[in-house]
Amino acid sequence: AAGARAAHAVGRVNIRDQRGRVVGYGTGSLVSPQLLLTNHHVLPDAATAGLSVVEFRYEDGVDGRPLAPVVFDLDPQRLFLADQGLDYALVAIRATPTELGTFGFSRLIEAEGKAIVGDFVTIVQHPGGEKKQVALRDNRIVDILDQFMHYEADTEPGSSGSPVFNDQWEIVALHHASVPTQD
């Protein structure tokens, strides 16, 4: 139940240009009643965020049929914080807390020790802009640096901005890049 609740707060970010054309995809998650967390390289500035949207429920239901997506504009005029070095962007969503309330959110917890080398993580993502997918279990943390974490997981472009969860469904990292395995 906790995993389903956490995954419900994850949406596909449709990156658009000035003409309204989709030029790329990313993933983002609600981390408060009205704030979306994704990568800086997904939404590098307020102008890009202002043209882009987040799409929740772009996924199949338990019966295998597509759910009806719910799309919201982003509202960088209200809030847009980003850091290129840490590769994050935090942006407000143009919607009321009531409209977004059905999706819930995953609170960011500052405490250390939520993840250690050898732990498993789960990534909720929209790889390649596809419907929501979950990379479960065999995603082991292999290294933790000062500001970054390395883990083994099956991801693709479009997964950028995905929340990385521990077994308690706490966000422990923000997925931002991948490196293919040699084997």
Side-chain angles (χ1 to χ4, degrees):
R5 187 170 45 250
H8 204 53
V10 176
R12 179 173 77 162
V13 178
N14 300 324
I15 307 161
R16 294 182 174 170
D17 65 13
Q18 286 91 355
R19 292 184 176 167
R21 294 179 298 197
V22 175
V23 294
Y25 296 101
T27 302
S29 63
L30 285 165
V31 294
S32 85
Q34 291 188 288
L35 298 179
L36 184 81
L37 179 65
T38 189
N39 288 130
H40 177 274
H41 74 265
V42 172
L43 297 175
D45 50 53
T48 302
L51 299 169
S52 301
V53 299
V54 62
E55 185 175 12
F56 294 101
R57 293 175 41 114
Y58 183 61
E59 60 191 278
D60 290 332
V62 293
D63 61 0
R65 289 191 235 160
L67 299 178
V70 180
V71 179
F72 296 102
D73 291 329
L74 302 179
D75 192 0
Q77 306 292 13
R78 195 165 42 135
L79 180 90
F80 183 80
L81 299 172
D83 185 289
Q84 185 174 9
L86 294 176
D87 197 17
Y88 79 84
L90 186 67
V91 63
I93 298 175
R94 188 171 291 125
T96 67
T98 302
E99 291 172 309
L100 292 169
T102 61
F103 302 105
F105 65 92
S106 296
R107 186 180 311 277
L108 297 177
I109 301 169
E110 185 178 2
E112 293 185 24
K114 295 180 302 201
I116 59 173
V117 172
D119 280 357
F120 292 99
V121 292
T122 299
I123 298 117
V124 180
Q125 59 187 331
H126 285 278
E130 295 175 14
K131 291 179 182 175
K132 187 181 294 174
Q133 297 178 27
V134 180
L136 285 171
R137 287 308 291 166
D138 286 334
N139 308 311
R140 190 178 297 271
I141 298 171
V142 296
D143 194 20
I144 298 178
L145 308 172
D146 285 340
Q147 308 254 335
F148 297 93
M149 173 188 301
H150 297 152
Y151 47 87
E152 297 173 333
D154 188 12
T155 64
E156 295 178 15
S159 297
S160 292
S162 297
V164 179
F165 295 101
N166 64 13
D167 283 344
Q168 290 72 45
W169 294 98
E170 299 166 322
I171 295 177
V172 297
L174 178 65
H175 181 76
H176 80 109
S178 64
V179 178
T181 59
Q182 298 303 313
D183 57 359

